[in-house]
DNA sequence: GAGGATAGAGAACATTAGGAGAACATTCAA
DNA sequence: TTGAATGTTCTCCTAATGTTCTCTATCCTC
């Protein structure tokens, strides 16, 4: 069971690794998390290693290795091909199976049931399930789950605005974007998937 | 069994854990449930531990661990609750995990990649994956994969028309429904799911 | 009403987690 | 070979947090 600081650290290492292709240094982690002591960070990283979340090669620079999560079990469905109105189904070479687990499961993800039509123009309907990856920051244009005033949650498209303000825009022509001071909004995660059953 | 207050507490802990990746503090639970005494909450949490619903590490901060019904953990994703613009995330009773497998997989199912915008008003966008169950008949109003003249395939909404005719209707205001003699159309399957990744 | 079970308030206290920062050791690339 | 970059090991600090009390207030059943 990870502590909050450990979880933040792990999330940062994962993101860094995904972005750069190699592990961060202690100094980079401290910087990324707004801490100033790499000694303290060393403690965190050690704790992560003991918890089995990462593997460390002592002394080595950038010596952090991520430990693969439980291998995603085979959860595949045959992918027949591409369908476009008015054409035959076109087979997709070298990809006869779709691994759903790989698409939707992963560390730090959770699902939410969407209620309401505010994202309908983005193809997210009332009753759909969305898959969210937990993270506290977002890029401009991401669809995020945001907590406003630590109270009401909402799924909206995220934009930065001048003057330390944020815009949360629904994808529905009949609704208007909302603009908030940055400090009132806490991002809880970004949309990584969506699914629906009939 | 659990008392109502214990159930509320457990639900909150589950939701918090899925969202944050670590357990809440007593103070956070009390706050989340609208209570003001962490001493009382301590009692609740102790009771939950005795009931076997959670595991506690005494003295430790955020020392609550959820007890997994391990099962097919690799195939499930925590379902936090229902999100509606402007409300807190509302927990869904008795459904804290979503099993992706049973959600989308099943006998006789296959996937297709959608190309084009002909079903956009049904929330099916260009690039989405749809899950189809193989069957040769369909009910009025189903969305089906149909083969026309044994040649071109298409994903459309299916309607019966008088005179042994069938209508295949796109869900896109700028496109018109097509009507065929029944013998020209062969239904290959009906839409049972849809998914999208970002 | 008595008595138990359940909820909660709130105060006092003890411990932990997270962090600062200095000093030192090691790695690695030029 | 060498020095900057980076990891390691300390010691110290403190706010955040768990623990333990004692009191109240409802319910419910008998």
């Amino acid at each position: 069971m990870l502590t909050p600081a450990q979880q933040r650290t792990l999330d940062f290492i994962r993101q860094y690794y995904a972005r750069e292709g190699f592990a961060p240094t202690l100094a980079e982690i401290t910087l990324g998390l707004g801490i100033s002591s790499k000694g303290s960070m060393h403690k965190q990283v050690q704790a992560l290693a003991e918890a089995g979340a990462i593997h460390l090669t002592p002394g080595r620079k950038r010596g952090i290795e991520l430990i693969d999560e439980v291998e995603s079990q085979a959860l595949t469905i045959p992918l027949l091909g591409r369908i476009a109105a008015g054409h035959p189904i076109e087979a997709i070479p070298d990809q006869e199976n779709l691994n759903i687990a790989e698409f939707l499961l992963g560390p730090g993800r959770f699902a939410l049931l969407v209620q309401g039509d505010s994202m309908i123009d983005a193809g997210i309907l009332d009753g759909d399930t969305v898959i969210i990856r937990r993270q506290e920051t977002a890029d401009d244009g991401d669809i995020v789950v945001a907590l406003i005033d630590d109270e009401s949650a909402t799924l909206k498209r995220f934009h930065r605005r001048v003057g330390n303000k944020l815009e949360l825009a629904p994808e529905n022509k009949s609704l208007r974007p909302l603009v908030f001071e940055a400090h009132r909004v806490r991002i809880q995660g970004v949309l990584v998937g969506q699914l629906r059953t009939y």
Side-chain angles (χ1 to χ4, degrees), chain A residues 60-108:
Chain A
R60 188 154 168 201
K61 295 187 180 182
R62 301 179 186 274
I64 300 174
E65 287 175 64
L66 290 170
I67 295 192
D68 287 338
E69 294 278 310
V70 194
E71 323 100 57
S72 55
Q73 239 164 300
L75 180 58
T76 61
I77 184 168
L79 180 60
L80 243 65
R82 197 171 309 216
I83 186 170
H87 296 276
I89 290 178
E90 172 198 351
I92 301 177
D94 299 329
Q95 195 182 356
E96 296 109 18
N97 277 286
L98 181 68
N99 189 336
I100 293 189
E102 172 184 319
F103 269 104
L104 298 178
L105 304 179

Side-chain angles (χ1 to χ4, degrees), chain A residues 35-143:
Chain A
I35 297 172
S36 76
S37 161
K38 56 179 179 157
S40 305
M41 183 48 63
H42 183 251
K43 250 194 311 190
Q44 299 292 348
V45 169
Q46 287 294 336
L48 278 176
E50 271 178 41
I54 59 174
H55 179 257
L56 282 181
T57 309
R60 188 154 168 201
K61 295 187 180 182
R62 301 179 186 274
I64 300 174
E65 287 175 64
L66 290 170
I67 295 192
D68 287 338
E69 294 278 310
V70 194
E71 323 100 57
S72 55
Q73 239 164 300
L75 180 58
T76 61
I77 184 168
L79 180 60
L80 243 65
R82 197 171 309 216
I83 186 170
H87 296 276
I89 290 178
E90 172 198 351
I92 301 177
D94 299 329
Q95 195 182 356
E96 296 109 18
N97 277 286
L98 181 68
N99 189 336
I100 293 189
E102 172 184 319
F103 269 104
L104 298 178
L105 304 179
R109 298 188 181 191
F110 57 87
L112 285 174
L113 225 52
V114 174
Q115 200 162 43
D117 287 334
S118 70
M119 297 302 286
I120 198 169
D121 293 336
I124 299 171
L125 312 186
D126 187 30
D128 283 6
T129 303
V130 289
I131 311 290
I132 309 292
R133 184 180 59 227
R134 180 181 62 242
Q135 60 185 62
E136 292 169 9
T137 59
D139 294 331
D140 201 81
D142 282 353
I143 296 178

Side-chain angles (χ1 to χ4, degrees), chain A residues 156-188:
Chain A
K156 294 280 188 303
R157 194 174 291 276
F158 171 83
H159 292 290
R160 299 182 188 288
R161 287 284 172 262
V162 289
N164 205 29
K165 298 202 170 175
L166 305 177
E167 177 183 297
L168 296 177
E171 293 273 348
N172 182 328
K173 291 178 202 85
S174 60
L175 299 175
R176 326 224 17 202
L178 303 173
V179 176
F180 294 96
E181 311 259 334
H183 70 88
R184 293 183 58 194
V185 176
R186 243 181 69 211
I187 293 174
Q188 307 217 289

